[in-house]
Amino acid sequence: MMTQDNSINPATEFIQHHFEEVLDRIAKRASSTENDPLGPKTEFEWLRSCGALQLVLPGGLLDFNTPNMPALLKLLKDIGKANLSVGRIFEGHINTLYLIHLYADVAQQEEWYKGVREYGHLFGIWNTQDKNGITLIPEKNGFIVNGCKTFCSGATLVNRALITGDISSADREGWQMVILNMDSLADDRIDRESWKPLGMKASGSYKVDFSGYQLRGEEFLGCPGIYLNQPYFNGGAMRFSAVQLGGAEAIAEATIAYLDELCRMGDPFQQLRLANMMSAVVSGRLWLEKAGQYYDSWADGGEHNEELIAFANMTRVNIEEICLKVMDDANRSVGARGLMEPYSLGRIFRDLSFYLRQPAPDATRLKVGEFFTKYPAAFDEHI
Ligand SMILES: Cc1cc2nc3c(=O)[nH]c(=O)nc-3n(C[C@H](O)[C@H](O)[C@H](O)COP(=O)(O)OP(=O)(O)OC[C@H]3O[C@@H](n4cnc5c(N)ncnc54)[C@H](O)[C@@H]3O)c2cc1C
């Protein structure tokens, strides 16, 4: 049934076997979705229909009020494995709902959760900007938005967008989160010429101009500066790492299928590379599992912030290395023919290579070094 936002009515609860079928369909459609001008619209209708958009809401299978991080990371990995662009947009939805869980007041939570439950709203989070970034300007009737965001994943699909911007007024000063209704923004504010990437084309991460958007009081999320609160800000890196690892798993699996098809699996060089690839993938899963456990134990206590951030940073950089290693071995294993259509490997390589480029990779490694300089025996008693 269509809703007021032309979206499909979401399921009332998350249905695991339906979700697995949806992942299968998403993976099968990925190569045509890459060039679909509508982006992964159908994929999000499917995800809505199996209840995946609401599974972290109160009472949901992975309710944020209960410790579920390892399971959530596994689910993000599985979506990334089916299609990295869908995984990227889905992770933005989950990230936004988490910030609402952490910082929204009760009335805001009710309103935004209702949007997901009743209308299947998809949320996005857009912090990155170039010159002409966002300022929230005070005026007679409240605040007005000025400026643009770049890398707005899912810009044409998202119903509610969390954006950040500079605010300076009598009672607010700093980097403020607001959640905007994308239905109030004219379609031509999304610059469709702005996204010509190496990979992740289907994520439709366009530049969006929000200038002139009139903000309502209830669209402000938390106080200025809270977006960067730790350990939540850096700890969140484990979520995009999970999606990335899904891409590496997809590459390993597609490599095995290709070698099998050509009856090349018995070759010792191929076996060696296969061992390397699968060991790397499995170690990525272990990083995620442990990171998720630490998150559940430490995130809300406040006593282990430094350890949690260091572990999230290590998880991120190790999964980056794992993905690069898997791509290198897979590349050598399948050769040029395996990287051509109709095989899917070329697309997943493009997507993963590009999606691995996340903010401050060098600084993240430096922070890990600084942490162990300060606490050389950290984690000794836990691992
Ligand atoms: C597919 C995709 C989807 C995305 N979706 C979203 C989204 O929905 N929302 C969102 O907010 N963002 C999104 N992003 C943006 C993302 O969060 C990062 O901001 C972006 O990927 C970082 O870009 P960059 O590699 O060009 O960074 P850069 O910061 O330019 O880093 C590139 C290299 O330069 C180095 N470097 C950085 N600063 C300096 C310096 N001062 N001097 C010397 N070297 C330096 C870095 O260490 C790195 O080696 C997305 C990115 C991708 C790839």
Side-chain angles (χ1 to χ4, degrees), residues 88 92 125-129 149-154 195 199-200 203 205 227 351 354-363:
R88 166 66 207 115
I125 175 161
W126 304 330
N127 180 51
T128 308
Q129 58 187 38
K149 285 290 182 189
T150 54
F151 286 96
C152 300
S153 288
W195 189 239
M200 299 293 280
S203 73
S205 305
Y227 173 69
D351 284 351
F354 191 66
Y355 188 35
L356 282 181
R357 295 304 114 224
Q358 290 301 315
D362 302 333

Side-chain angles (χ1 to χ4, degrees), residues 85-321:
S85 287
V86 174
R88 166 66 207 115
I89 299 170
F90 186 82
E91 193 276 323
H93 174 77
I94 297 294
N95 189 359
T96 314
L97 292 181
Y98 190 50
L99 292 169
I100 290 171
H101 159 80
L102 289 173
Y103 305 126
D105 65 33
V106 174
Q108 288 178 310
Q109 286 177 343
E110 276 173 9
E111 180 65 19
W112 284 319
Y113 293 166
K114 183 175 159 203
V116 181
R117 286 198 183 103
E118 294 187 13
Y119 308 118
H121 282 166
L122 178 67
F123 284 67
I125 175 161
W126 304 330
N127 180 51
T128 308
Q129 58 187 38
D130 211 334
K131 297 168 204 110
N132 190 23
I134 299 289
T135 44
L136 309 175
I137 301 165
E139 48 134 52
K140 203 165 50 146
N141 299 320
F143 287 85
I144 201 155
V145 183
N146 187 46
C148 304
K149 285 290 182 189
T150 54
F151 286 96
C152 300
S153 288
T156 59
L157 305 176
V158 159
N159 306 100
R160 299 287 180 272
L162 189 162
I163 65 167
T164 45
D166 259 325
I167 195 166
S168 181
S169 70
D171 54 351
R172 290 181 186 264
E173 189 77 42
W175 196 238
Q176 174 71 51
M177 291 187 277
V178 289
I179 297 189
L180 311 187
N181 181 348
M182 288 298 284
D183 296 334
S184 308
L185 207 70
D187 192 56
D188 63 5
R189 293 307 187 87
I190 300 174
D191 177 0
R192 287 174 169 75
E193 290 302 304
S194 62
W195 189 239
K196 294 183 177 155
L198 164 74
M200 299 293 280
K201 199 172 156 196
S203 73
S205 305
Y206 302 111
K207 179 177 181 181
V208 181
D209 185 353
F210 294 95
S211 302
Y213 186 101
Q214 182 80 50
L215 278 168
R216 292 178 297 128
E218 59 271 28
E219 291 175 318
F220 281 78
L221 177 61
C223 56
I226 209 169
Y227 173 69
L228 299 168
N229 258 19
Q230 298 289 14
Y232 306 112
F233 183 67
N234 283 123
M238 62 181 76
R239 285 191 308 266
F240 71 67
S241 302
V243 179
Q244 292 171 341
L245 187 69
E249 272 195 27
I251 287 175
E253 237 172 57
T255 304
I256 294 170
Y258 177 83
L259 293 177
D260 209 21
E261 189 183 311
L262 268 60
C263 299
R264 291 181 174 176
M265 286 285 275
D267 177 74
F269 287 99
Q270 300 288 18
Q271 286 283 327
L272 180 71
R273 282 191 288 262
L274 184 57
N276 289 342
M277 275 188 282
M278 291 317 297
S279 303
V281 165
V282 172
S283 60
R285 288 186 202 143
L286 294 172
W287 273 108
L288 287 180
E289 176 69 22
K290 197 71 202 168
Q293 287 169 7
Y294 280 146
Y295 201 92
D296 282 345
S297 310
W298 290 343
D300 296 329
E303 289 155 23
H304 295 278
N305 284 1
E306 283 184 282
E307 289 107 305
L308 182 54
I309 292 167
F311 205 85
N313 285 340
M314 283 195 290
T315 302
R316 174 191 160 173
V317 298
N318 276 284
I319 287 185
E320 182 190 346
E321 299 298 343

Side-chain angles (χ1 to χ4, degrees), residues 4-24:
Q4 59 181 35
D5 294 324
N6 291 333
S7 53
I8 304 267
N9 254 352
T12 47
E13 60 181 307
F14 180 71
I15 309 158
Q16 182 70 33
H17 73 272
H18 189 175
F19 173 67
E20 282 159 18
E21 282 164 23
V22 162
L23 290 188
D24 204 38

